[in-house]
Amino acid sequence: MATKLLALACIRKESYGDLSPRPRYPSMPKYPKGVSGQETNVEGSEAKAVFCVLGMTCAACAGSVEKAVKRLPGIREAVVDVLNDKAQVLFYPSFVSEETIRETIEDAGFEATLIQEETSDKSTQVCRIRINGMTCTSCSSTVEQALQAIPGVQKAQVALATEEAEVHYDPKILSCNQILEAINDTGFEAVLLSTGEDMGKIGLKVDGVRTHNSMRMIENSLQALPGVRSIDIDCEVNKISLSYKPDVTGPRNFIKVIESTGTGRFKAMIFPEGGGRESHRKEEIKQYYRSFQWSLVFTVPVFLIAMIFMYIPGIKHALDTKLVNMISIGAILRWVLSTPVQFIVGRRFYTGSYKALRHGSANMDVLIALGTNAAYFYSVYSVLRAASSTDFESTDFFETSSMLISFILLGKYLEVLAKGKTSDAIAKLMNLTPDTAILLTLDDEGNVISEEEIDSRLIQRNDVIKIIPGAKAASDGFVIWGQSHVNESMITGEARPVAKREGDTVIGGTVNENGVLHIKATRVGSESALSQIVRLVESAQMAKAPVQKFADRISKYFVPLVIILSISTWLAWFLAGKFHGYPDSWIPKSMDSFQLALQFGISVMVIACPCALGLATPTAVMVGTGVGASQGILIKGGQALESAHKVNCIVFDKTGTLTVGNPVVVKTTLSKSMVLRDFYELIAATRAIMEYAKKIREDEEDPVWPEAREFEPIVGYGVKTIVRNKKIVVGNKSLILIQNIDISFDVELMLAETEAMT
């Protein structure tokens, strides 16, 4: 007879609660009669019903109604509004009817009546736009004011840190294209990211295109597809960007049309990742890095000539050698070397200044351009005057202008580098979905004909996807075949696996624990729950905190005030010098009072750039919301973060909030005489606590465990298997008792002590 091994380990873990002692579901069900392979392509399989629910008095009542409805098969979503006595239910008529839902609500103890949903035309739409070229808060304020001045715009938010705008507008009065034109008119480049319409967007790369006629032929073929809204073609990289209605068509249809258009000559695929905001961010980082490198090539020699070589006797004599009248070789070299920095490397500041001043505003570029130009052109005047005079000793500030531009470029490079890192958390969220999915083809009776592994981005609405144990759901959907437990902690924060059977909803990115599931995709791409979470985080990053709004108000007047203060500083020092308001010893030998005053004026102008004032708060909000999202905490904007310092008491609603969600072995006690290493080999063979067992055999890089036969998971209790002809049972106390294994008094005592510690 096979021997029984009692394996008891003290484990600290997140509370899973009392799971049912046996699976709640019968053996694997077949497709319901109401669902067939044909129906997976029928539009409008989802329905919505609104009920008037009387008798609810508090949030607990609403919660009981919601739970009762969600227990029904085929319920996608249920929302109960206790204030208005309403319940809205999204469901699949193949599984459940409106009458069944109404009866369920009444069984929960409330009176329910089906009512017609109040429908109204959508008077507000939201579009998100990426804006390239903003450098400071003054830029974002200019764009925001321009947007708010457009008739039909109800609300406009422009975030400098994310370089995005969120515009709420009336589609009857205004279109997205008009909003983009308005932004372009302010001197910035606008790129539409998304609209409030139910549209999907995808980019496809087409290989085999040799002429523009070929690309036009492909465009015409795609345009003929129902559901395609707009097509944008980039011939340089052979990219086709499409906007489409996901309930009508999808990316697989596009690829088929493209590849059939050229009689096999064209090949289409999903455009490689890295487009959009990330590619723009990387290009911006490269540009600033390249500009900074070129500025160093010229600025370092200018610095050496002006600050170092003048103290080395031999070199100083050579640099002071006069060429024409009083102009020296050193002055000519500084002029020649600083000119490319001023007008080629620093061209971006002239462009930014022109755009800002053209629209009646002043930004950081204006300050930089004014300060460096004042230093550069005064130096040019000084050198030219020395060249035409026999007694004028020139003093130039060429090193000031070139070094200022170099330092500002370094600062901008570090700034865009930091802003790029703040979006890492959002990228991690998006990576929760798997790269591939198993697409099933069904016959009319719902039997599987074939299965194919495809890119998860090619999933279309109403596709049937197979999820094997241990895999992630590639999209949102509902179960049409199979039973399993799914770990939804990435959405809910609760580590207890949720049982799934026919009609239950599955969220994209959640992990299937044991059984095989077939799900019908209902929300794909930007419609998925994960994408909505990402949008929530992005909206939170865009929302302005109260202190940021205050900083934005100040920044409107900041640049003009700085210019006034700069001119006032120069004038005060100049007049003080003329009227001997300070000792002549304060003036360096190489300067006069005018030059000293000019240096002070330039200093005030350049060091007062409002970068930190405008960027500190949004960057802090981005980092806070991004890191929170990666830890499973969603923060709705800067106002919540700003109010957090006032919190003196936090109430958590479940144990899972406070723990890591994974069981960890903290203690091992053997009640029988046995080698600990052998004990853990048997336990690891059952895949129970493999990570901890690896530590016991840490001398081996990839340890091989004994083979386990007749493996049987018991949901909520543990596992059973046979290893080395021994029956192994690993689980909790209830499982040991069910298996009729005696627990000694010493073990009972040890278990009681351990339970008292948790």
Side-chain angles (χ1 to χ4, degrees), residues 566-587:
S566 177
I567 295 172
S568 301
T569 301
W570 167 79
L571 188 61
W573 278 92
F574 175 70
L575 293 176
K578 282 292 182 184
F579 296 103
H580 304 288
Y582 55 82
D584 292 341
S585 59
W586 287 15
I587 305 175

PDB file of all heavy atoms in Angstrom, residues 566-587:
ATOM      1  N   SER A 566      14.619  92.979 -15.422  1.00  0.00           N
ATOM      2  CA  SER A 566      15.942  92.938 -16.038  1.00  0.00           C
ATOM      3  C   SER A 566      16.359  94.317 -16.540  1.00  0.00           C
ATOM      4  O   SER A 566      17.491  94.775 -16.300  1.00  0.00           O
ATOM      5  CB  SER A 566      15.931  91.930 -17.193  1.00  0.00           C
ATOM      6  OG  SER A 566      17.172  91.929 -17.849  1.00  0.00           O
ATOM      7  N   ILE A 567      15.430  94.976 -17.241  1.00  0.00           N
ATOM      8  CA  ILE A 567      15.731  96.327 -17.744  1.00  0.00           C
ATOM      9  C   ILE A 567      15.943  97.287 -16.576  1.00  0.00           C
ATOM     10  O   ILE A 567      16.847  98.141 -16.596  1.00  0.00           O
ATOM     11  CB  ILE A 567      14.596  96.814 -18.668  1.00  0.00           C
ATOM     12  CG1 ILE A 567      14.536  95.938 -19.929  1.00  0.00           C
ATOM     13  CG2 ILE A 567      14.788  98.275 -19.039  1.00  0.00           C
ATOM     14  CD1 ILE A 567      13.342  96.205 -20.813  1.00  0.00           C
ATOM     15  N   SER A 568      15.121  97.125 -15.537  1.00  0.00           N
ATOM     16  CA  SER A 568      15.258  97.991 -14.356  1.00  0.00           C
ATOM     17  C   SER A 568      16.607  97.770 -13.671  1.00  0.00           C
ATOM     18  O   SER A 568      17.249  98.732 -13.209  1.00  0.00           O
ATOM     19  CB  SER A 568      14.122  97.723 -13.366  1.00  0.00           C
ATOM     20  OG  SER A 568      12.871  97.943 -13.961  1.00  0.00           O
ATOM     21  N   THR A 569      17.041  96.515 -13.601  1.00  0.00           N
ATOM     22  CA  THR A 569      18.345  96.210 -12.987  1.00  0.00           C
ATOM     23  C   THR A 569      19.475  96.862 -13.771  1.00  0.00           C
ATOM     24  O   THR A 569      20.377  97.486 -13.190  1.00  0.00           O
ATOM     25  CB  THR A 569      18.556  94.686 -12.949  1.00  0.00           C
ATOM     26  OG1 THR A 569      17.500  94.089 -12.200  1.00  0.00           O
ATOM     27  CG2 THR A 569      19.893  94.343 -12.307  1.00  0.00           C
ATOM     28  N   TRP A 570      19.412  96.704 -15.104  1.00  0.00           N
ATOM     29  CA  TRP A 570      20.461  97.322 -15.941  1.00  0.00           C
ATOM     30  C   TRP A 570      20.454  98.841 -15.772  1.00  0.00           C
ATOM     31  O   TRP A 570      21.508  99.463 -15.591  1.00  0.00           O
ATOM     32  CB  TRP A 570      20.211  96.963 -17.411  1.00  0.00           C
ATOM     33  CG  TRP A 570      21.040  97.794 -18.352  1.00  0.00           C
ATOM     34  CD1 TRP A 570      22.349  97.627 -18.649  1.00  0.00           C
ATOM     35  CD2 TRP A 570      20.606  98.951 -19.063  1.00  0.00           C
ATOM     36  NE1 TRP A 570      22.772  98.598 -19.520  1.00  0.00           N
ATOM     37  CE2 TRP A 570      21.708  99.435 -19.784  1.00  0.00           C
ATOM     38  CE3 TRP A 570      19.384  99.633 -19.159  1.00  0.00           C
ATOM     39  CZ2 TRP A 570      21.635 100.555 -20.596  1.00  0.00           C
ATOM     40  CZ3 TRP A 570      19.310 100.750 -19.972  1.00  0.00           C
ATOM     41  CH2 TRP A 570      20.426 101.207 -20.681  1.00  0.00           C
ATOM     42  N   LEU A 571      19.257  99.449 -15.801  1.00  0.00           N
ATOM     43  CA  LEU A 571      19.163 100.906 -15.703  1.00  0.00           C
ATOM     44  C   LEU A 571      19.651 101.400 -14.346  1.00  0.00           C
ATOM     45  O   LEU A 571      20.381 102.416 -14.255  1.00  0.00           O
ATOM     46  CB  LEU A 571      17.714 101.334 -15.944  1.00  0.00           C
ATOM     47  CG  LEU A 571      17.460 102.843 -16.068  1.00  0.00           C
ATOM     48  CD1 LEU A 571      18.228 103.419 -17.263  1.00  0.00           C
ATOM     49  CD2 LEU A 571      15.968 103.131 -16.213  1.00  0.00           C
ATOM     50  N   ALA A 572      19.277 100.691 -13.276  1.00  0.00           N
ATOM     51  CA  ALA A 572      19.678 101.112 -11.926  1.00  0.00           C
ATOM     52  C   ALA A 572      21.191 101.072 -11.772  1.00  0.00           C
ATOM     53  O   ALA A 572      21.803 102.020 -11.245  1.00  0.00           O
ATOM     54  CB  ALA A 572      19.001 100.214 -10.893  1.00  0.00           C
ATOM     55  N   TRP A 573      21.825  99.978 -12.238  1.00  0.00           N
ATOM     56  CA  TRP A 573      23.280  99.881 -12.119  1.00  0.00           C
ATOM     57  C   TRP A 573      23.993 100.871 -13.054  1.00  0.00           C
ATOM     58  O   TRP A 573      25.044 101.419 -12.704  1.00  0.00           O
ATOM     59  CB  TRP A 573      23.740  98.456 -12.441  1.00  0.00           C
ATOM     60  CG  TRP A 573      23.591  97.535 -11.268  1.00  0.00           C
ATOM     61  CD1 TRP A 573      22.544  96.752 -10.968  1.00  0.00           C
ATOM     62  CD2 TRP A 573      24.557  97.340 -10.228  1.00  0.00           C
ATOM     63  NE1 TRP A 573      22.755  96.062  -9.797  1.00  0.00           N
ATOM     64  CE2 TRP A 573      23.997  96.403  -9.314  1.00  0.00           C
ATOM     65  CE3 TRP A 573      25.831  97.859  -9.960  1.00  0.00           C
ATOM     66  CZ2 TRP A 573      24.666  95.972  -8.178  1.00  0.00           C
ATOM     67  CZ3 TRP A 573      26.496  97.435  -8.822  1.00  0.00           C
ATOM     68  CH2 TRP A 573      25.923  96.505  -7.950  1.00  0.00           C
ATOM     69  N   PHE A 574      23.397 101.105 -14.226  1.00  0.00           N
ATOM     70  CA  PHE A 574      24.012 102.048 -15.167  1.00  0.00           C
ATOM     71  C   PHE A 574      23.985 103.469 -14.600  1.00  0.00           C
ATOM     72  O   PHE A 574      24.989 104.197 -14.624  1.00  0.00           O
ATOM     73  CB  PHE A 574      23.273 101.980 -16.504  1.00  0.00           C
ATOM     74  CG  PHE A 574      23.753 102.986 -17.511  1.00  0.00           C
ATOM     75  CD1 PHE A 574      25.020 102.858 -18.091  1.00  0.00           C
ATOM     76  CD2 PHE A 574      22.962 104.068 -17.869  1.00  0.00           C
ATOM     77  CE1 PHE A 574      25.475 103.786 -19.016  1.00  0.00           C
ATOM     78  CE2 PHE A 574      23.416 105.007 -18.785  1.00  0.00           C
ATOM     79  CZ  PHE A 574      24.668 104.867 -19.366  1.00  0.00           C
ATOM     80  N   LEU A 575      22.802 103.877 -14.083  1.00  0.00           N
ATOM     81  CA  LEU A 575      22.683 105.221 -13.510  1.00  0.00           C
ATOM     82  C   LEU A 575      23.551 105.367 -12.261  1.00  0.00           C
ATOM     83  O   LEU A 575      24.171 106.420 -12.031  1.00  0.00           O
ATOM     84  CB  LEU A 575      21.217 105.519 -13.178  1.00  0.00           C
ATOM     85  CG  LEU A 575      20.268 105.636 -14.388  1.00  0.00           C
ATOM     86  CD1 LEU A 575      18.836 105.831 -13.921  1.00  0.00           C
ATOM     87  CD2 LEU A 575      20.705 106.807 -15.285  1.00  0.00           C
ATOM     88  N   ALA A 576      23.584 104.277 -11.447  1.00  0.00           N
ATOM     89  CA  ALA A 576      24.429 104.333 -10.248  1.00  0.00           C
ATOM     90  C   ALA A 576      25.893 104.501 -10.636  1.00  0.00           C
ATOM     91  O   ALA A 576      26.651 105.223  -9.957  1.00  0.00           O
ATOM     92  CB  ALA A 576      24.243 103.060  -9.428  1.00  0.00           C
ATOM     93  N   GLY A 577      26.302 103.862 -11.736  1.00  0.00           N
ATOM     94  CA  GLY A 577      27.685 104.010 -12.198  1.00  0.00           C
ATOM     95  C   GLY A 577      27.963 105.395 -12.728  1.00  0.00           C
ATOM     96  O   GLY A 577      29.039 105.978 -12.480  1.00  0.00           O
ATOM     97  N   LYS A 578      27.006 105.976 -13.473  1.00  0.00           N
ATOM     98  CA  LYS A 578      27.189 107.316 -14.043  1.00  0.00           C
ATOM     99  C   LYS A 578      27.294 108.379 -12.959  1.00  0.00           C
ATOM    100  O   LYS A 578      28.048 109.346 -13.073  1.00  0.00           O
ATOM    101  CB  LYS A 578      26.008 107.642 -14.974  1.00  0.00           C
ATOM    102  CG  LYS A 578      26.080 106.988 -16.345  1.00  0.00           C
ATOM    103  CD  LYS A 578      27.236 107.582 -17.157  1.00  0.00           C
ATOM    104  CE  LYS A 578      27.278 106.973 -18.562  1.00  0.00           C
ATOM    105  NZ  LYS A 578      28.456 107.483 -19.305  1.00  0.00           N
ATOM    106  N   PHE A 579      26.505 108.186 -11.904  1.00  0.00           N
ATOM    107  CA  PHE A 579      26.488 109.184 -10.826  1.00  0.00           C
ATOM    108  C   PHE A 579      27.323 108.737  -9.628  1.00  0.00           C
ATOM    109  O   PHE A 579      27.127 109.218  -8.511  1.00  0.00           O
ATOM    110  CB  PHE A 579      25.040 109.462 -10.404  1.00  0.00           C
ATOM    111  CG  PHE A 579      24.208 110.087 -11.485  1.00  0.00           C
ATOM    112  CD1 PHE A 579      23.291 109.337 -12.199  1.00  0.00           C
ATOM    113  CD2 PHE A 579      24.374 111.440 -11.828  1.00  0.00           C
ATOM    114  CE1 PHE A 579      22.531 109.903 -13.218  1.00  0.00           C
ATOM    115  CE2 PHE A 579      23.611 112.005 -12.837  1.00  0.00           C
ATOM    116  CZ  PHE A 579      22.692 111.249 -13.541  1.00  0.00           C
ATOM    117  N   HIS A 580      28.240 107.760  -9.886  1.00  0.00           N
ATOM    118  CA  HIS A 580      29.182 107.297  -8.858  1.00  0.00           C
ATOM    119  C   HIS A 580      28.458 106.850  -7.579  1.00  0.00           C
ATOM    120  O   HIS A 580      28.813 107.236  -6.467  1.00  0.00           O
ATOM    121  CB  HIS A 580      30.202 108.401  -8.532  1.00  0.00           C
ATOM    122  CG  HIS A 580      30.938 108.890  -9.747  1.00  0.00           C
ATOM    123  ND1 HIS A 580      31.901 108.140 -10.392  1.00  0.00           N
ATOM    124  CD2 HIS A 580      30.814 110.062 -10.457  1.00  0.00           C
ATOM    125  CE1 HIS A 580      32.362 108.818 -11.438  1.00  0.00           C
ATOM    126  NE2 HIS A 580      31.706 109.988 -11.507  1.00  0.00           N
ATOM    127  N   GLY A 581      27.422 106.062  -7.769  1.00  0.00           N
ATOM    128  CA  GLY A 581      26.642 105.546  -6.646  1.00  0.00           C
ATOM    129  C   GLY A 581      27.335 104.396  -5.943  1.00  0.00           C
ATOM    130  O   GLY A 581      26.881 103.960  -4.878  1.00  0.00           O
ATOM    131  N   TYR A 582      28.406 103.853  -6.528  1.00  0.00           N
ATOM    132  CA  TYR A 582      29.186 102.794  -5.886  1.00  0.00           C
ATOM    133  C   TYR A 582      30.659 103.029  -6.208  1.00  0.00           C
ATOM    134  O   TYR A 582      31.002 103.748  -7.166  1.00  0.00           O
ATOM    135  CB  TYR A 582      28.741 101.406  -6.371  1.00  0.00           C
ATOM    136  CG  TYR A 582      28.765 101.207  -7.864  1.00  0.00           C
ATOM    137  CD1 TYR A 582      29.960 100.884  -8.529  1.00  0.00           C
ATOM    138  CD2 TYR A 582      27.604 101.334  -8.621  1.00  0.00           C
ATOM    139  CE1 TYR A 582      29.979 100.704  -9.889  1.00  0.00           C
ATOM    140  CE2 TYR A 582      27.628 101.147  -9.991  1.00  0.00           C
ATOM    141  CZ  TYR A 582      28.812 100.834 -10.624  1.00  0.00           C
ATOM    142  OH  TYR A 582      28.846 100.659 -11.980  1.00  0.00           O
ATOM    143  N   PRO A 583      31.580 102.492  -5.425  1.00  0.00           N
ATOM    144  CA  PRO A 583      33.018 102.743  -5.634  1.00  0.00           C
ATOM    145  C   PRO A 583      33.481 102.255  -7.010  1.00  0.00           C
ATOM    146  O   PRO A 583      33.008 101.227  -7.515  1.00  0.00           O
ATOM    147  CB  PRO A 583      33.695 101.935  -4.521  1.00  0.00           C
ATOM    148  CG  PRO A 583      32.629 101.702  -3.507  1.00  0.00           C
ATOM    149  CD  PRO A 583      31.333 101.650  -4.240  1.00  0.00           C
ATOM    150  N   ASP A 584      34.383 102.988  -7.623  1.00  0.00           N
ATOM    151  CA  ASP A 584      34.921 102.598  -8.931  1.00  0.00           C
ATOM    152  C   ASP A 584      35.676 101.275  -8.866  1.00  0.00           C
ATOM    153  O   ASP A 584      35.836 100.591  -9.882  1.00  0.00           O
ATOM    154  CB  ASP A 584      35.866 103.690  -9.461  1.00  0.00           C
ATOM    155  CG  ASP A 584      35.103 104.961  -9.819  1.00  0.00           C
ATOM    156  OD1 ASP A 584      33.864 104.873  -9.995  1.00  0.00           O
ATOM    157  OD2 ASP A 584      35.735 106.032  -9.927  1.00  0.00           O
ATOM    158  N   SER A 585      36.115 100.900  -7.646  1.00  0.00           N
ATOM    159  CA  SER A 585      36.848  99.639  -7.499  1.00  0.00           C
ATOM    160  C   SER A 585      35.958  98.426  -7.770  1.00  0.00           C
ATOM    161  O   SER A 585      36.447  97.321  -7.988  1.00  0.00           O
ATOM    162  CB  SER A 585      37.449  99.537  -6.091  1.00  0.00           C
ATOM    163  OG  SER A 585      36.419  99.601  -5.106  1.00  0.00           O
ATOM    164  N   TRP A 586      34.627  98.615  -7.740  1.00  0.00           N
ATOM    165  CA  TRP A 586      33.711  97.520  -8.031  1.00  0.00           C
ATOM    166  C   TRP A 586      33.736  97.125  -9.504  1.00  0.00           C
ATOM    167  O   TRP A 586      33.350  96.015  -9.854  1.00  0.00           O
ATOM    168  CB  TRP A 586      32.273  97.912  -7.657  1.00  0.00           C
ATOM    169  CG  TRP A 586      32.031  97.944  -6.171  1.00  0.00           C
ATOM    170  CD1 TRP A 586      32.973  97.945  -5.187  1.00  0.00           C
ATOM    171  CD2 TRP A 586      30.758  98.007  -5.527  1.00  0.00           C
ATOM    172  NE1 TRP A 586      32.375  98.006  -3.952  1.00  0.00           N
ATOM    173  CE2 TRP A 586      30.999  98.045  -4.134  1.00  0.00           C
ATOM    174  CE3 TRP A 586      29.447  98.055  -5.965  1.00  0.00           C
ATOM    175  CZ2 TRP A 586      29.973  98.113  -3.197  1.00  0.00           C
ATOM    176  CZ3 TRP A 586      28.416  98.125  -5.040  1.00  0.00           C
ATOM    177  CH2 TRP A 586      28.688  98.145  -3.656  1.00  0.00           C
ATOM    178  N   ILE A 587      34.174  98.061 -10.339  1.00  0.00           N
ATOM    179  CA  ILE A 587      34.168  97.803 -11.784  1.00  0.00           C
ATOM    180  C   ILE A 587      35.469  97.109 -12.164  1.00  0.00           C
ATOM    181  O   ILE A 587      36.555  97.635 -11.922  1.00  0.00           O
ATOM    182  CB  ILE A 587      34.042  99.122 -12.583  1.00  0.00           C
ATOM    183  CG1 ILE A 587      32.799  99.910 -12.127  1.00  0.00           C
ATOM    184  CG2 ILE A 587      33.976  98.837 -14.081  1.00  0.00           C
ATOM    185  CD1 ILE A 587      32.672 101.281 -12.769  1.00  0.00           C
TER     186      ILE A 587
END
